[in-house]
Amino acid sequence: MLLHCGSRSIDLSSPKVMGVLNVTPDSFFDGGKHYAASGGESRLLIDHAVKAAEAMVLAGAAFIDVGGESTRPGAADVSAQQEADRVLPVVEALASRVDAVVSVDTSTALVMVEACRLGAGLLNDVRALEREGALAAAITTGLPICLMHMQGNPATMQDNPAYIDVVGDVSQYLAARIALVVDTASELGMVPPQLVLDPGFGFGKTDNHNIALLNGLTELSALRLPLLVGLSRKSMLGRLLGRPPSERLAGSLALALIAAQNGANIIRVHDVPETMDVITLLQQVKNGGHHSGA
Ligand code: 8Y7
C-alpha cells in the first residue's frame, strides 16, 4: 500500500526505515547532538541536523523523524512554544532540502499544524492524539498519522506496567483510537487520515510485555493498517543484554529483523545503514535470492 505523505508517497509493500533525528538537549542516545540552542548558533545546528538527515537518506531512510520533546522517563516538560521553536526550523530545513518524508514526533496541536505548513509529511504521536486539541488539529492537516500506544505518561509509565493481555489490550486501545479518528474526521467534514499503528515498545511495558508484543505483531496486523515499530537501543536491550546504549546496535538489528519478519512496515532507528542491510537481506531471502531492484 501507498502512504500519501504530502508531496511524497511511500510504498509500504516492503519494510521502510525511519531515521531518528533528535533536537532535544537530553536525548538518551545521541545526547542532543542537533540541539538548536539559540541565536547565532541555531543556523549552524540546523545545518548539522540537515547533514545528519542527508546521511540517513543517502543510506536509505524513507522517513526522518524529528522530535523536540524527550519522552525519556524523568525528562523535563517542554512548553508548546519551546517545542515549536526547537522543531519547526528543522522541519522546514529538512522538508526543502532532504529527499525523504519529514515525520514530526509531536503530541502538540500547534506543532502539528505548523509542521504541516512547513512541509512535514507524517505526524508521529506517542500519545495517539490524546493531548488537548491534537485530534482535530492532526485531522485538519490531512497528513497520515502514526498512533502509538502508551500506558500512563512518560514520567511514571515504567513504575508498574500491568495488562490483562498485553497484545489484546494494546490492540483494543488502538482500535478505539482509530474509531475516534474516523468519527471525528466525519464530524469535521474531513476525509479520514491514513493511519499507522505502533504498539509503543518500552512505553509502559516490562520486558515480557515488549516480547509478547513483538511476538504478537501479526495480531496487530489484523487491524489492517501499516505498523511502525521503535526498538532501537531501547532500555529493554540494556536489561536483556546488560549493555549501555552505545553497545546496543547488534541487539537493535536483531529486533528490527524480528519485527520486519512479523510484519512491521516502518522501522524507527538510530542506525540507518545497518538497519537497511538487515531489511535488504530479508527482502532478498523472501524473494528466494532474486534481486528485486528496489
Ligand atoms: C518511539 C517513538 C520514541 C516508538 C514511535 C526512543 C518518538 C524513545 N520511541 N515513536 N518515539 N514509536 N512511533 O527510544 O517506539 O526513541 S522516543
Side-chain angles (χ1 to χ4, degrees), residues 20 28 65 71 105 124 126 146 148 198 200-201 203 228-232 234 268 270:
V20 177
F28 85 103
D65 193 38
T71 46
D105 155 24
N124 173 29
V126 299
C146 178
M148 197 197 80
D198 185 337
F201 289 102
F203 286 85
L228 188 156
V229 298
L231 292 151
S232 184
K234 283 192 175 170
R268 183 182 179 278
H270 300 92

Side-chain angles (χ1 to χ4, degrees), residues 194-251:
Q194 285 190 300
L195 296 174
V196 175
L197 304 179
D198 185 337
F201 289 102
F203 286 85
K205 280 112 187 162
T206 64
D207 294 344
N208 285 338
H209 294 143
N210 289 321
I211 288 168
L213 286 165
L214 197 54
N215 285 319
L217 276 186
T218 45
E219 278 174 62
L220 293 182
S221 310
L223 294 169
R224 312 206 63 85
L225 291 174
L227 301 178
L228 188 156
V229 298
L231 292 151
S232 184
R233 303 198 183 245
K234 283 192 175 170
S235 60
M236 162 177 46
L237 286 164
R239 290 182 297 267
L240 296 175
L241 300 173
R243 298 197 182 278
S246 64
E247 293 171 15
R248 295 177 192 166
L249 174 57

